[in-house]
Amino acid sequence: MNKWNILKGVLSIVIIGLLFWKLDVHAVYNTLINMNGGYLIPIIFFGWFGLFFGCIDFYLLIRVLGYKIKFFDVFKYSSVAWSFSLLMPGRLGDFSLVYFFSKKGLTYGESSAVFVFSRALTMISLAIIFSIGVVWFFPLKSFIIGLVIFWALIVLGCVCMFTNPGWKLFSKLIPKRFKEKFELYYSSIKFFIYKKPWSILAVFIIVFLQRCLNGIFFYYILTALGQNVSLIVPIVINAVEIVSGIIPITLGGLGVKESVGAGLYSLQGIAPEVIGAMYALSIFFTYFTGAIVMLLWGGSIGKENV
């Protein structure tokens, strides 16, 4: 881990520390020990099922290209990449999937196309939910310009990633010795868009459901903590958190996401100690799951891909 990642790790801890410092820690503790334990089953189920469901888009895109990789291998690689991302700025750990998939027969260009297409569909689904969130929480007139700029950036990103001029511009940034490895990137993108549009629509629906599953996880935590909230609230807030967590100033967006989410949940009238308890539980669950994943498969994937 280089010095910048160490600094970002320290910043993550500082932000989380400041958030909890402003809370009544005793009240947070009491909220946690008085939670309804019966909801632990759906919390664990949706937390882990979300990880399982989160690899289906990669699996389907790889199958669309004609490769027959075992679903369990895709699940394993996706889980390890997700665990990496918890310890890296933004979601940079996810890029390890390009390397993992290339070891299963895909070229770097095809692996990159699968990864980029999946992430583009994810960003579009997040943008839709994020837009709903802006309309839900704030007066539209106050945020219409920001919303238009946000969608303009999404469209610009898609143009850069999925059009011939965009690919030509990007290819100029690739060192000459690596260009051959990425030759099939644009042809794979065109194949997805022009040859398999219905398959891509199915993948988009799955990606959209992935985002909803994340929100359901938080919905059951809030319910366990005695809160009666609409399901759409945690779904929307979680999408806003993920978008904010992409900014690579902390490890895995830790601290940034919680700060944004805490503000939005407080607008819904949820008590600070409940918000603190929710994030304490979700952070513990997330990093505990990441540790299990790395213990199970981190070492074996490292040896497998040497």
Side-chain angles (χ1 to χ4, degrees):
M1 185 177 287
N2 62 39
K3 62 181 181 180
W4 294 114
N5 283 345
I6 293 173
L7 287 174
K8 288 168 183 176
V10 171
L11 181 59
S12 300
I13 295 170
V14 168
I15 294 174
I16 291 294
L18 287 173
L19 285 174
F20 279 94
W21 179 64
K22 291 185 176 181
L23 296 173
D24 183 342
V25 177
H26 184 68
V28 172
Y29 173 75
N30 283 336
T31 303
L32 281 171
I33 62 174
N34 290 315
M35 71 180 289
N36 188 336
Y39 284 101
L40 284 175
I41 293 175
I43 289 171
I44 293 170
F45 173 79
F46 282 103
W48 285 349
F49 184 69
L51 190 61
F52 172 83
F53 199 74
C55 72
I56 296 177
D57 53 327
F58 293 119
Y59 177 73
L60 291 179
L61 289 171
I62 290 171
R63 297 284 292 189
V64 165
L65 288 177
Y67 290 92
K68 294 183 178 180
I69 299 179
K70 293 178 181 178
F71 179 81
F72 180 73
D73 285 339
V74 178
F75 169 63
K76 184 170 61 174
Y77 295 148
S78 175
S79 299
V80 170
W82 170 79
S83 299
F84 282 154
S85 72
L86 296 177
L87 300 173
M88 298 191 71
R91 298 288 303 180
L92 296 181
D94 288 341
F95 283 97
S96 59
L97 282 170
V98 174
Y99 174 73
F100 293 154
F101 292 153
S102 71
K103 294 302 178 180
K104 286 296 181 178
L106 282 74
T107 67
Y108 274 98
E110 291 170 325
S111 297
S112 299
V114 167
F115 176 79
V116 168
F117 216 94
S118 169
R119 287 299 169 252
L121 294 177
T122 298
M123 280 305 301
I124 291 171
S125 66
L126 286 172
I128 292 171
I129 302 174
F130 179 81
S131 301
I132 294 171
V134 170
V135 176
W136 183 282
F137 290 110
F138 306 105
L140 183 59
K141 290 181 181 180
S142 304
F143 288 87
I144 187 66
I145 296 177
L147 206 55
V148 169
I149 293 173
F150 178 70
W151 273 101
L153 291 173
I154 296 290
V155 172
L156 179 62
C158 289
V159 168
C160 291
M161 292 185 290
F162 301 146
T163 65
N164 191 42
W167 166 241
K168 286 182 178 178
L169 178 64
F170 175 73
S171 63
K172 290 179 181 179
L173 302 176
I174 301 174
K176 289 183 179 180
R177 66 180 184 276
F178 294 124
K179 278 191 177 181
E180 280 187 22
K181 293 184 177 182
F182 289 91
E183 277 184 355
L184 294 179
Y185 169 82
Y186 185 60
S187 61
S188 298
I189 292 293
K190 287 197 299 182
F191 182 74
F192 287 146
I193 296 173
Y194 298 112
K195 299 293 184 181
K196 299 291 182 179
W198 293 108
S199 297
I200 297 309
L201 177 60
V203 172
F204 174 75
I205 293 171
I206 287 169
V207 168
F208 192 86
L209 290 175
Q210 290 171 1
R211 306 282 63 84
C212 293
L213 278 174
N214 288 347
I216 294 173
F217 168 73
F218 283 97
Y219 170 78
Y220 276 110
I221 293 180
L222 286 169
T223 303
L225 295 172
Q227 301 302 300
N228 184 19
V229 297
S230 169
L231 178 58
I232 194 172
V233 170
I235 289 176
V236 167
I237 292 178
N238 182 249
V240 177
E241 288 176 353
I242 293 173
V243 172
S244 64
I246 294 172
I247 303 169
I249 60 173
T250 63
L251 300 183
L254 183 64
V256 175
K257 295 185 296 184
E258 289 76 13
S259 299
V260 171
L264 294 176
Y265 279 115
S266 65
L267 290 177
Q268 297 298 300
I270 298 177
E273 62 269 18
V274 175
I275 297 172
M278 178 190 67
Y279 282 123
L281 190 59
S282 67
I283 290 170
F284 172 79
F285 181 87
T286 298
Y287 281 86
F288 179 72
T289 300
I292 291 175
V293 167
M294 293 306 293
L295 285 172
L296 287 174
W297 301 312
S300 63
I301 286 180
K303 293 175 183 177
E304 171 184 325
N305 291 293
V306 171

